[in-house]
């Protein structure tokens, strides 16, 4: 774990007044040459100092033999010397008192050379230097016209900022942004993240006006708790799109060996991104589609969307996609008829999708797509075009450009899908230059609009402050300390039950008695029906020994069963020590959930809930959230479970006690937050009864750690 960080000064990383290049080279083909070339030819406005022991001149600039020969203060140093020379170079930078270093060089933790990387990070930290990398392609910052990368020499300036852990993919993304005409405000290669990571850089990008959307490619998260806070702050202001590799187990292993970082559980990552309002894309294509849309379109201000099409088939495809991406279609037939009637032929349809039919020409589209601009009832439009003989596709680009501008000026988003041949392709290329979000596939156009909707909804329904419950912390800690004193890393079931009680979570009533009168007395107190179980350290499998009697409805049944199980136990093992008989409440059947919490290696405390019982492993119907959390977020987590409708009551069943389930999850979240020696809690099952009837936590398994790890497992 990182020690104290120096105060971040990321602004001077993105907007340095001076830059030195250690490993600058006059030989074309070398990385140190490309970096120098890109800095100089990219129009960087600050001072540039090449450093190379050979001295002389390059790119018309005098070369310093050592960074300490430079008189000027240095904000940023780029290092591209072979790995064995990097440490010395960093030491020289420390003597010089530079602010930031980007280490291009490979050959550190990604190949197991972790020790050297730590030494570099330690020296930098001790001298208040922030380090990017190692194992990176560099940094581009439009704000300083600085291209300190060894990728393309021309990177168009624009509104998307990219943070990428993979260098090669980052370089490829620069190429793709060029083709798609998505200008960049910044692109930063993070590599092994020995110091600076996504969380540090987000702060600058969120404050920087030019950046409208942030795209992150992540392979592994080192300091997840810090990332969560940074993302929570950032998504208040700007949409963030993330691509994370390592969804599969094998992929996660590949990612771990690629960057030497912890890939973590993908399900947890996915849930936490959603919790932070981050839009996770499945592919680079999808991420770019979303960025293009979010950078150039306003967000919808309400939920009413219309689809306008000249083809029924694509209209149906878009309708299906809207359902998938949670886009609501305006369904007020009278209003739709009034708005779109004048633009729709009698054989078309004003039902949403609005079908202006295959005979529609450019003026018909202009008319139909102008209608939403002035309508208070429509918040967003998806416009579809299939190439037909009646619409001269030479006019397509002008029609789209014009209607897009009108929608944007009115503060309304519109996304286009155009399907056709060469002329349609030519129109798309033209529109790409004008930054109009137009897609060659219906699904892509809808998915981009869906991303805008998800971000807007997150903005308006941001979860409130996290909640903590009242728990008896001292009692829980006493139970844990007792178990630790016995060198255990787990709690026994009766200890688990004590923790539940101390946290205010209802468990079945149970007591151990030594004679039949006491059993009768306790059963009267608990209320029938009850269960009897033999208590003997020598009899582990109670049922096999005939030591369990279920569903005892009255005193007579209780007395008979008491004698029977004692008799059975003695027969089973005549030498067994009988410690007593447990009288327990007979648990009524209900809906079984699993609720848990653990300290995740990457993200710290996370909570989990799902449908429980014995099939939990097979069903895998579970949802996760970072802890602590607000009740609304707990409800959102429950709703993510596929079987949630069962909690709401199906086929005339009563709704289950969802409020108590939420309360229980908050209590579990509080335990994992406050008891730093607990690393895992799993209650399976929690039996949930009808509304107002509560829950019973039947079996709590708790793992503990000897060392107080402050939230991370030892
Ligand atoms: N101070 C300054 N310059 C020095 C020093 C020093 N102490 N020592 C040597 N140099 C000079 C060298 O003389 C040379 O300059 P020259 O061309 O004038 O002789 C220059 O620094 C570079 O040194 P070389 O030994 O020529 O090293 P080379 O350029 O072949 O390789 C590099 C260095 C690029 C850093 C290499 O070790 C490396 O790590 N390559 C991989 C980089 C990479 O891929 N990073 C990840 C990017 S992300 C992705 O996946 C694409």
């Amino acid at each position: 774990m990182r020690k104290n960080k120096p105060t971040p000064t990321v602004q001077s990383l993105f907007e340095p007044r001076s830059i030195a290049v250690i490993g600058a080279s006059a030989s074309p083909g070398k990385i140190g040459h490309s970096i120098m070339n890109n800095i100089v030819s990219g129009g960087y406005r600050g001072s540039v100092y090449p450093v190379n022991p050979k001295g002389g001149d390059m790119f018309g600039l005098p070369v310093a033999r050592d960074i300490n020969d430079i008189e000027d203060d240095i904000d940023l140093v780029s290092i591209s010397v072979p790995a064995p020379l990097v440490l010395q170079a960093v030491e020289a930078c420390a003597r010089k008192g530079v602010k930031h270093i980007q280490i291009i060089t490979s050959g550190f933790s990604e190949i197991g050379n972790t020790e050297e990387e730590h030494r570099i990070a330690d020296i930098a930290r001790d001298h208040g230097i922030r380090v990017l990398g190692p194992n990176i392609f560099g940094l581009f910052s439009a704000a300083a016209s600085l291209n300190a990368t060894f990728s393309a020499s021309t990177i168009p300036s624009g509104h998307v900022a990219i943070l990428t852990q993979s260098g090669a993919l980052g370089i490829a993304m620069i190429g793709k942004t060029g083709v798609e005409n998505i200008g960049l405000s910044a692109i930063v290669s993070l590599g092994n993240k020995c110091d600076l990571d996504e969380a540090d850089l987000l702060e600058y990008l969120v404050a920087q006006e030019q950046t409208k959307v942030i795209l992150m490619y992540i392979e592994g998260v080192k300091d997840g708790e810090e990332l969560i806070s940074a993302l929570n702050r950032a998504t208040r202001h700007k949409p963030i799109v993330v691509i994370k590799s390592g969804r599969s187990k094998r992929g996660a292993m590949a990612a771990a060996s690629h960057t030497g970082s912890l890939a973590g559980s993908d399900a947890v990552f996915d849930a936490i991104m959603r919790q932070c309002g981050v839009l996770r894309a499945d592919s680079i294509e999808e991420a770019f589609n979303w960025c293009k849309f979010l950078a150039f379109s306003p967000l919808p201000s309400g939920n009413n969307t219309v689809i306008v099409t000249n083809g029924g088939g694509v209209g149906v495809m878009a309708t299906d996609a809207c359902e998938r991406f949670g886009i609501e279609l305006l369904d007020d037939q009278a209003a739709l008829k009034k708005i779109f009637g004048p633009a729709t032929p009698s054989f078309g349809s004003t039902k949403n999708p609005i079908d202006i039919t295959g005979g529609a020409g450019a003026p018909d589209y202009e008319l139909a797509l102008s209608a939403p601009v002035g309508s208070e009832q429509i918040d967003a439009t998806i416009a579809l075009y299939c190439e037909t003989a009646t619409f001269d596709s030479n006019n397509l680009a002008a029609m789209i450009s014009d209607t897009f501008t009108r929608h944007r000026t009115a503060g309304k988003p519109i996304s286009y899908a155009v399907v056709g041949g060469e002329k349609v392709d030519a129109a798309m290329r033209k529109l790409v230059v004008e930054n109009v979000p137009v897609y060659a596939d219906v699904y892509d156009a809808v998915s981009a609009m869906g991303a805008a909707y998800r971000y807007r909804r997150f903005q308006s329904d941001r979860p409130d402050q996290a909640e903590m419950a009242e728990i008896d912390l001292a009692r829980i800690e006493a139970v844990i300390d007792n178990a630790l004193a016995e060198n255990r890393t787990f709690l026994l079931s009766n200890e688990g039950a004590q923790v539940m009680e101390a946290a205010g979570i209802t468990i079945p009533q149970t007591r151990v008695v030594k004679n039949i009168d006491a059993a009768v007395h306790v059963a009267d107190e608990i209320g029938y029906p009850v269960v009897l179980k033999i208590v003997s350290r020598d009899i582990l499998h109670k049922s096999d020994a005939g030591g369990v009697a279920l569903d005892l409805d009255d005193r007579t049944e209780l007395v008979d069963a008491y004698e029977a199980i004692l008799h059975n136990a003695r027969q089973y093992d005549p030498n067994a020590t009988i410690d007593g008989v447990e009288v327990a409440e007979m648990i009524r059947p209900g809906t079984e959930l699993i609720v848990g919490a653990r300290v995740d290696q990457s993200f710290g405390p996370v909570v989990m809930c799902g449908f429980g019982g014995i099939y939990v492993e097979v069903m895998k119907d579970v949802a996760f959230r970072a802890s602590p959390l607000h009740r609304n977020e707990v409800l959102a987590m429950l709703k993510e479970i596929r079987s949630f409708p069962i909690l709401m009551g199906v086929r005339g069943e009563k709704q289950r006690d969802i409020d108590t389930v939420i309360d229980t999850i908050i209590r579990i979240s509080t335990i994992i937050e406050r008891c730093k020696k607990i690393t895992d809690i799993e209650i399976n099952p929690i039996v949930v009864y009808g509304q107002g009837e509560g829950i019973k936590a039947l079996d709590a398994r708790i793992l503990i750690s000897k060392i107080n790890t402050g939230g991370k497992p030892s």
Side-chain angles (χ1 to χ4, degrees):
M1 197 193 263
R2 249 185 340 222
K3 290 185 214 155
N4 295 337
K5 277 184 181 178
T7 317
T9 53
V10 271
Q11 179 156 8
S12 52
L13 171 72
F14 284 95
E15 298 168 29
R17 283 167 301 134
S18 53
I19 173 163
V21 180
I22 298 183
S25 171
S27 306
K30 285 207 179 181
I31 284 182
H33 181 272
S34 302
I35 289 175
M36 275 304 296
N37 182 51
N38 285 350
I39 294 173
V40 172
S41 66
Y44 172 58
R45 293 184 289 273
S47 314
V48 186
Y49 300 98
V51 181
N52 186 311
K54 293 176 186 161
D57 289 288
M58 66 173 80
F59 296 93
L61 297 165
V63 176
R65 288 179 199 281
D66 186 292
I67 188 161
N68 285 288
D69 296 344
I70 303 168
E71 279 178 14
D72 197 0
D73 289 339
I74 303 293
D75 281 351
L76 174 61
V77 177
S78 176
I79 296 182
S80 54
V81 292
L85 304 179
V86 170
L87 187 67
Q88 281 171 26
V90 171
E91 283 168 345
C93 291
R95 287 195 296 280
K96 174 72 185 157
V98 310
K99 287 187 181 153
H100 303 276
I101 303 176
Q102 66 164 21
I103 304 175
I104 303 287
T105 312
S106 302
F108 295 94
S109 66
E110 83 282 6
I111 57 155
N113 187 8
T114 309
E115 211 176 299
E116 185 88 339
E117 189 171 301
H118 284 165
R119 284 169 71 194
I120 289 168
D122 285 345
I123 291 170
R125 187 176 34 248
D126 291 347
H127 291 82
I129 303 170
R130 302 305 310 260
V131 180
L132 210 51
N135 188 29
I136 60 172
F137 65 77
L139 155 112
F140 163 78
S141 168
S145 302
L146 172 65
N147 181 0
T149 73
F150 66 87
S151 72
S153 53
T154 330
I155 302 177
S157 169
H159 302 296
V160 179
I162 301 180
L163 304 179
T164 173
Q165 201 172 351
S166 160
L169 189 63
I171 293 176
M173 285 201 274
I174 294 176
K176 198 164 163 56
T177 52
V179 173
E180 300 260 352
N181 196 38
I182 300 176
L184 296 180
S185 55
I187 179 161
V188 186
S189 168
L190 292 163
N192 299 0
K193 301 196 262 197
C194 84
D195 173 26
L196 287 164
D197 61 13
E198 291 86 355
D200 299 304
L201 304 185
L202 279 173
E203 201 182 312
Y204 169 84
L205 296 172
V206 166
Q208 194 219 28
E209 215 162 291
Q210 185 175 345
T211 301
K212 303 275 184 243
V213 190
I214 299 164
L215 169 62
M216 305 195 302
Y217 171 80
I218 296 182
E219 284 178 353
V221 176
K222 279 184 176 164
D223 195 340
E225 286 174 88
E226 208 175 298
L227 182 64
I228 291 173
S229 327
L231 289 173
N232 271 326
R233 284 194 300 273
T235 51
R236 279 176 197 280
H237 307 282
K238 287 177 189 176
I240 298 184
V241 176
V242 69
I243 313 168
K244 178 178 180 288
S245 55
R247 266 194 200 270
S248 63
K249 272 191 190 150
R250 233 192 139 88
M253 273 157 60
S257 61
H258 186 179
T259 53
S261 60
L262 293 161
S265 152
D266 191 73
V268 171
F269 179 88
D270 203 66
I272 290 176
M273 289 304 111
R274 244 173 299 131
Q275 193 176 352
C276 296
V278 172
L279 305 164
R280 182 176 185 186
D282 275 334
S283 66
I284 296 165
E285 195 66 36
E286 190 171 51
F288 273 75
N289 285 341
W290 294 355
C291 286
K292 199 158 74 171
F293 194 71
L294 294 163
F296 301 115
S297 298
L299 293 175
S301 48
N303 286 327
N304 290 324
T305 306
V306 288
I307 300 169
V308 176
T309 179
N310 68 345
V314 286
V316 175
M317 282 168 72
T319 308
D320 288 347
C322 281
E323 194 172 303
R324 168 143 194 231
F325 292 107
I327 298 175
E328 291 172 27
L329 295 176
L330 177 62
D331 205 22
D332 180 340
Q333 295 306 322
L336 286 164
K337 193 164 181 149
K338 201 165 159 209
I339 299 166
F340 289 103
T344 313
S346 56
F347 47 89
S349 170
T350 59
K351 296 190 173 133
N352 204 356
I354 318 299
D355 188 351
I356 57 172
T357 78
D364 303 307
Y365 261 101
E366 287 273 0
L367 191 60
L369 293 181
S370 299
V373 174
S375 163
E376 282 187 5
Q377 277 163 292
I378 299 172
D379 304 301
T381 305
I382 296 165
L384 312 175
Y385 168 75
C386 287
E387 192 167 28
T388 62
T390 48
F391 187 138
D392 181 357
S393 294
N394 288 321
N395 299 327
L396 184 61
M399 181 279 285
I400 291 180
S401 177
D402 176 54
T403 49
F404 173 70
T405 308
R406 277 196 278 152
H407 277 252
R408 193 158 74 158
T409 312
K412 295 188 178 193
I414 178 165
S415 82
Y416 299 85
V418 294
V419 186
E422 255 174 50
K423 283 186 181 172
V424 171
D425 270 2
M428 274 193 79
R429 283 195 296 278
K430 213 165 161 209
L431 291 163
V432 158
V433 175
E434 293 178 30
N435 289 132
V436 178
V438 53
Y439 303 92
D441 192 285
V442 173
Y443 183 89
D444 292 339
V446 180
S447 147
M449 184 65 85
Y453 264 116
R454 263 184 293 147
Y455 180 60
R456 184 193 68 85
R457 282 193 199 118
F458 178 79
Q459 291 263 17
S460 51
D461 310 337
R462 278 192 88 87
D464 301 314
Q465 280 291 314
E467 282 176 49
M468 293 278 218
E470 288 277 321
I471 60 170
D472 186 345
L473 187 62
R475 187 175 165 203
I476 296 174
E477 282 178 343
V479 174
I480 295 168
D481 289 343
N482 181 51
L484 288 174
E486 292 176 12
N487 278 329
R488 274 188 280 123
T489 55
F490 60 91
L491 298 188
L492 299 171
S493 70
N494 65 319
E495 292 169 332
Q498 287 176 49
V499 170
M500 293 297 102
E501 268 184 344
I505 296 170
T506 323
I507 54 171
Q509 295 184 65
T510 169
R511 243 166 301 147
V512 176
V513 295
K514 300 273 185 191
N515 58 54
I516 213 156
D517 288 343
V520 169
H521 181 70
V522 167
D524 283 348
E525 265 182 18
I526 290 176
Y528 290 94
V530 292
V531 176
L532 291 185
K533 289 181 206 166
I534 201 80
V535 180
S536 165
R537 70 199 70 183
D538 301 315
I539 302 175
L540 286 182
H541 302 289
K542 298 180 174 59
S543 301
D544 293 355
V548 179
L550 301 172
D551 215 359
L552 307 171
D553 283 327
D554 51 37
R555 280 187 192 187
T556 318
E557 284 187 22
L558 177 86
V559 171
D560 289 349
Y562 191 96
E563 282 164 358
I565 65 168
L566 277 182
H567 173 78
N568 293 345
R570 282 195 196 105
Q571 283 225 311
Y572 180 79
D573 181 354
N575 299 320
T577 308
I578 308 292
D579 298 308
V581 172
E582 185 184 327
V583 186
E585 174 186 354
M586 175 83 195
I587 296 300
R588 282 185 291 131
T591 305
E592 295 193 354
L593 293 187
I594 176 170
V595 170
R598 74 181 156 88
V599 183
D600 183 85
Q601 289 278 2
S602 299
F603 291 102
V606 292
V607 289
M608 176 270 263
C609 70
F611 263 70
I614 52 174
Y615 300 121
V616 64
E617 288 294 330
V618 184
M619 305 295 286
K620 292 201 164 55
D621 190 11
V622 291
F624 297 90
R625 284 293 185 280
S627 168
L629 65 177
H630 185 266
R631 322 181 56 80
N632 294 344
E633 197 59 38
V634 180
L635 182 61
M637 169 163 74
L638 286 169
K639 283 183 178 170
E640 263 172 38
I641 303 169
R642 287 193 307 282
S643 323
F644 178 73
I646 297 174
L647 281 180
M648 293 301 291
V650 282
R651 295 190 171 231
E653 276 179 351
K654 257 175 85 179
Q655 184 180 314
R656 308 277 110 187
D657 198 338
I658 294 173
D659 280 346
T660 308
V661 173
I662 293 174
D663 184 63
T664 306
I665 294 172
I666 299 264
R667 286 177 188 281
I668 293 296
S669 155
T670 307
I671 300 175
I672 201 86
E673 283 290 328
R674 297 191 54 200
C675 307
K676 299 296 184 198
K677 290 176 188 163
I678 293 184
T679 59
D680 281 84
I681 307 172
E682 183 186 298
I683 317 175
N684 187 17
I686 280 188
V687 184
V688 187
Y689 299 110
Q691 204 164 7
E693 294 172 16
I695 60 109
K696 295 272 180 204
L698 294 202
D699 187 12
R701 287 164 205 226
I702 297 177
L703 300 184
I704 51 179
S705 162
K706 276 197 171 144
I707 305 155
N708 183 340
T709 52
K712 303 260 174 184
S714 56

